Amino acid sequence: MVTDYPSPAISSKKTPVTVWVFFALAALDIAVNAAAGPAAVATAVHVSGDKLTARSLQLGALAGVTKAGVLAFVEFVSYTGIPAPAWLVLILFASSFGICVLVTAEISNLVLGETPSALLIAAIVAAIPLGGECIGIYQFHRRSTRITTDQSLHVLAAGGLSGGNGGVQIFVMGLDALGGYVFARMAHNEGYDICAYNVAAAAGAVYGAITGIFHTGIGCMAGAQSTISVNGHYETTNIFGTRKGYDENWRTNAGLI
């Protein structure tokens, strides 16, 4: 419900959402990615006709946890209202480029005992179509506020972890498949035959589908919200909490001027 009429302004007292809401969403996101990684590996093995091993499943889970953990860490740090230069460094670290390089280096060291520069190049190129994975991060920074002295959060939702537009998430699923294809293709061009191109694309599609469905569901829940506005002082509430603020153009929006 939205109302705008001349009357005493609503109370400025804020409704806190504890930091545990963020931790709960972050834990769910990490768990989903930890499951999506092995699922992607299992898909790749099935398509290629190879034998599935416990080791490969563990590596898939590790890659998923690393990716989700980095994003959760950066989103949490952004609550503190860090300076712009530091935020830009974190954005680079949590971008598709930073995550792809980090995960590639991590898995390469575990499997090969080293990190070939050729695979890092492939990771950087594959990160280009995977840029959509970080959409939530940038949306989050624009919406978030800092942690108060009582360690409570005054936010509408827990940022990128609260999901996103369904259409955007479907688009991201396709980008994951493309990213897998590009990585395999670039690795081949650099002298490393990781797997067949269709195998990499299938693995990426499965990973994107699992994480995309989760984020879309959370995003739909976050989108179910109600807003009350009195004299420009608004209060928007959804299942994750409440956001309050002031709209300077409320008289124009209400048709009073």
Side-chain angles (χ1 to χ4, degrees):
M1 178 181 68
V2 178
T3 59
D4 260 316
Y5 50 86
S7 64
I10 60 177
S11 171
S12 61
K13 182 179 180 181
K14 296 181 178 181
T15 303
V17 180
T18 67
V19 70
W20 298 112
V21 173
F22 174 86
F23 285 145
L25 287 174
L28 280 174
D29 190 52
I30 291 174
V32 169
N33 279 272
V41 170
T43 299
V45 171
H46 175 74
V47 174
S48 63
D50 293 332
K51 183 179 179 180
L52 184 63
T53 65
R55 175 64 170 170
S56 61
L57 292 176
Q58 291 172 354
L59 292 175
L62 178 61
V65 168
T66 299
K67 176 243 181 180
V70 168
L71 292 177
F73 170 75
V74 172
E75 292 200 27
F76 179 73
V77 170
S78 70
Y79 274 118
T80 62
I82 59 178
W87 173 246
L88 291 177
V89 172
L90 286 178
I91 281 293
L92 179 61
F93 180 58
S95 69
S96 59
F97 295 98
I99 290 177
C100 283
V101 169
L102 175 62
V103 171
T104 299
E106 178 183 46
I107 302 302
S108 294
N109 272 299
L110 291 174
V111 175
L112 304 175
E114 61 177 350
T115 304
S117 58
L119 293 184
L120 294 181
I121 293 174
I124 292 173
V125 176
I128 296 175
L130 292 176
E133 286 280 358
C134 298
I135 290 175
I137 282 286
Y138 308 123
Q139 291 177 338
F140 166 77
H141 186 59
R142 290 196 297 270
R143 294 200 306 257
S144 65
T145 56
R146 65 182 181 84
I147 297 181
T148 59
T149 54
D150 64 354
Q151 298 300 302
S152 61
L153 302 178
H154 301 288
V155 293
L156 173 62
L161 295 177
S162 69
N165 180 276
V168 172
Q169 291 300 329
I170 292 175
F171 179 61
V172 168
M173 295 181 202
L175 293 181
D176 282 338
L178 179 59
Y181 170 84
V182 171
F183 180 78
R185 186 63 180 261
M186 283 301 303
H188 171 76
N189 292 343
E190 295 294 328
Y192 283 84
D193 288 317
I194 302 299
C195 63
Y197 306 150
N198 66 316
V199 172
V206 169
Y207 187 94
I210 294 175
T211 57
I213 290 173
F214 169 72
H215 287 141
T216 299
I218 296 296
C220 289
M221 288 190 289
Q225 59 188 31
S226 62
T227 300
I228 297 177
S229 179
V230 179
N231 287 358
H233 295 268
Y234 66 85
E235 178 178 306
T236 301
T237 303
N238 67 9
I239 65 171
F240 297 113
T242 299
R243 178 177 60 187
K244 296 183 180 182
Y246 179 72
D247 180 8
E248 297 179 352
N249 300 316
W250 74 274
R251 292 181 180 275
T252 301
N253 296 335
L256 299 179
I257 57 175

